[in-house]
Amino acid sequence: MSVSLKRQVNFVTGLHEWLGSGSGIEKSMLGFEMALKEHGSRRELLWLERIKRTVQRGQPIAKGMEADFSPQLVMVMRLGQKYGCLGPILSAFNAQNQRERAGLVLWMKKMSYPLLLCLVSCIALIFIGTQVLPRFADQGVFDDAHQMTVTAQIVHRLAEFLLIGLPLIVGVGILIAIGLRWLLPTVAAPWRRHLESLYIFRVYRRTQLISFLRTSSILLHHNVSFAAILQELKALSTPYLRHYLTIFLARVRRGEFEVAQLLRSPLVDKTILFRLQCQNPKLPLNERLDTLAVYVEGDLDRLLVRAQHLIAAACFFLAGCFMILLFLALATMMRLLAQGAM
């Protein structure tokens, strides 16, 4: 059974606070264990027990987290412990996670009404087109003198299409989502460059870039060299990001230290590189990367809002078209019923 990332972050944050109390690892873990027992956190107690056994074997805490925690959180713990910056890097990870979660909740709230309206109009059209209109036809409402109108025919045929096509579209959408969940972090082949301009790839690329910039900024602030940062992240990142980190590391080893030239790749858009070039080169590199991360976050927000508006507009347009067709078809049936009654 998977556990939410928020719960994992809360556990690691609590563990970090106890470890930072200055009481030593054993007493800190004992105190954290007592706190977890007081709150009845059974799963967290199992996590802590596994971590305690790992520490007793002389291994780092991150090693004991590998079986239960997300790879990103394990990476945060490993880097934070190794370079003495667990607090800042954990706070940055938590802030980014909260920001993404809040953005997703807000996006779903704004999209729930247009999506629900579109779904209800589809169901109404399917019901009228496949159930009501055929019954009217069986009852002789559409006789030889009054054949089924063009509008009613459109509603009937569209309803038959949606009855089969809607579940098919949903099924294909689920398969595409599963495929993208594997493809986005895994594949870094040359042919992927042709897909990087697609919306979902642009969003994923920006999330990866933000994570890289934030982590690099924090480690640079703690006097870790950029080459060491790239080496560490290369070993811990997804295959997609690792491909570009390998390129960056090779450039550093060749003596390239101009950041804009160093980061030039499909991972970083030209506008982002230009903004990096416009920064004051006298500023510390960690500040420059942190400022760039803020810009990329704003760019990502604008990208999500634009997609939200387009999807909402499409939903409203489809729902409006369906409702107009239904209104015209029902109006025609009422008119024919009234004529038949006379």
Side-chain angles (χ1 to χ4, degrees):
M1 178 180 178
S2 60
V3 181
S4 67
L5 184 59
K6 180 181 178 181
R7 187 172 174 181
Q8 295 179 23
V9 172
N10 289 338
F11 173 86
V12 175
T13 302
L15 178 61
H16 168 64
E17 290 174 352
W18 277 95
L19 291 174
S21 63
S23 302
I25 293 181
E26 292 186 5
K27 286 188 177 180
S28 297
M29 288 193 174
L30 180 60
F32 190 37
E33 183 179 2
M34 293 171 63
L36 292 175
K37 287 181 179 179
E38 185 177 345
H39 290 88
S41 305
R42 295 183 179 180
R43 184 177 292 273
E44 282 80 355
L45 285 169
L46 293 176
W47 294 345
L48 184 62
E49 184 62 30
R50 189 172 285 115
I51 291 173
K52 285 169 64 178
R53 290 198 299 267
T54 302
V55 172
Q56 288 171 357
R57 292 195 297 267
Q59 296 176 321
I61 293 177
K63 185 68 178 177
M65 295 171 54
E66 291 178 350
D68 303 302
F69 292 81
S70 73
Q72 295 87 353
L73 197 53
V74 174
M75 179 189 73
V76 166
M77 175 60 77
R78 182 175 284 113
L79 292 175
Q81 272 198 300
K82 185 172 182 178
Y83 295 106
C85 57
L86 181 57
I89 199 171
L90 183 60
S91 298
F93 178 84
N94 193 23
Q96 182 177 345
N97 178 50
Q98 289 179 349
R99 181 179 176 277
E100 291 176 356
R101 188 168 61 249
L104 179 61
V105 171
L106 181 62
W107 195 89
M108 291 304 298
K109 282 184 178 179
K110 290 185 176 181
M111 292 303 301
S112 58
Y113 176 70
L115 288 173
L116 183 62
L117 181 64
C118 188
L119 178 62
V120 170
S121 63
C122 285
I123 294 174
L125 189 141
I126 291 172
F127 177 75
I128 297 295
T130 59
Q131 300 296 322
V132 177
L133 288 179
R135 290 181 183 178
F136 271 70
D138 293 340
Q139 293 173 5
V141 174
F142 303 109
D143 54 18
D144 294 334
H146 298 95
Q147 291 295 325
M148 187 180 291
T149 63
V150 174
T151 304
Q153 290 180 22
I154 292 174
V155 170
H156 178 64
R157 291 175 181 175
L158 186 57
E160 289 182 332
F161 168 77
L162 289 176
L163 186 62
I164 300 174
L166 193 60
L168 184 62
I169 292 172
V170 173
V172 171
I174 293 174
L175 291 177
I176 291 175
I178 294 173
L180 286 174
R181 186 169 183 178
W182 168 82
L183 174 67
L184 289 171
T186 305
V187 178
W191 55 263
R192 176 167 173 160
R193 294 185 179 183
H194 302 292
L195 305 176
E196 293 291 4
S197 60
L198 298 178
Y199 174 77
I200 189 65
F201 287 84
R202 293 168 65 190
V203 170
Y204 181 78
R205 194 167 70 248
R206 279 162 174 76
T207 58
Q208 291 290 288
L209 181 58
I210 291 169
S211 177
F212 165 66
L213 293 173
R214 291 292 190 192
T215 305
S216 299
S217 175
I218 293 171
L219 293 175
L220 284 167
H221 181 69
H222 285 77
N223 300 319
V224 184
S225 69
F226 199 43
I229 293 171
L230 293 172
Q231 187 66 49
E232 292 283 359
L233 294 180
K234 176 185 171 184
L236 303 172
S237 300
T238 61
Y240 172 74
L241 185 57
R242 187 183 306 134
H243 169 72
Y244 293 107
L245 294 179
T246 303
I247 296 174
F248 301 159
L249 185 59
R251 290 173 181 171
V252 170
R253 288 173 175 171
R254 289 198 305 264
E256 178 62 65
F257 293 105
E258 172 55 40
V259 184
Q261 294 297 326
L262 181 65
L263 299 182
R264 187 178 298 278
S265 66
L267 177 66
V268 187
D269 291 344
K270 292 181 179 179
T271 53
I272 298 173
L273 284 174
F274 182 74
R275 192 173 186 91
L276 186 59
Q277 290 172 339
C278 293
Q279 290 180 340
N280 184 357
K282 295 182 180 180
L283 289 174
L285 182 56
N286 66 295
E287 293 184 15
R288 296 178 65 188
L289 295 183
D290 195 55
T291 303
L292 191 65
V294 173
Y295 171 76
V296 178
E297 287 175 348
D299 187 52
L300 178 60
D301 289 339
R302 288 188 291 271
L303 193 63
L304 293 174
V305 169
R306 194 179 307 124
Q308 174 188 312
H309 290 167
L310 289 174
I311 295 174
C315 289
F316 283 128
F317 176 76
L318 287 175
C321 291
F322 291 162
M323 298 306 293
I324 291 172
L325 286 173
L326 287 175
F327 175 78
L328 293 176
L330 290 174
T332 301
M333 287 189 296
M334 293 302 103
R335 178 173 58 82
L336 292 176
L337 283 174
Q339 291 177 355
M342 295 175 62

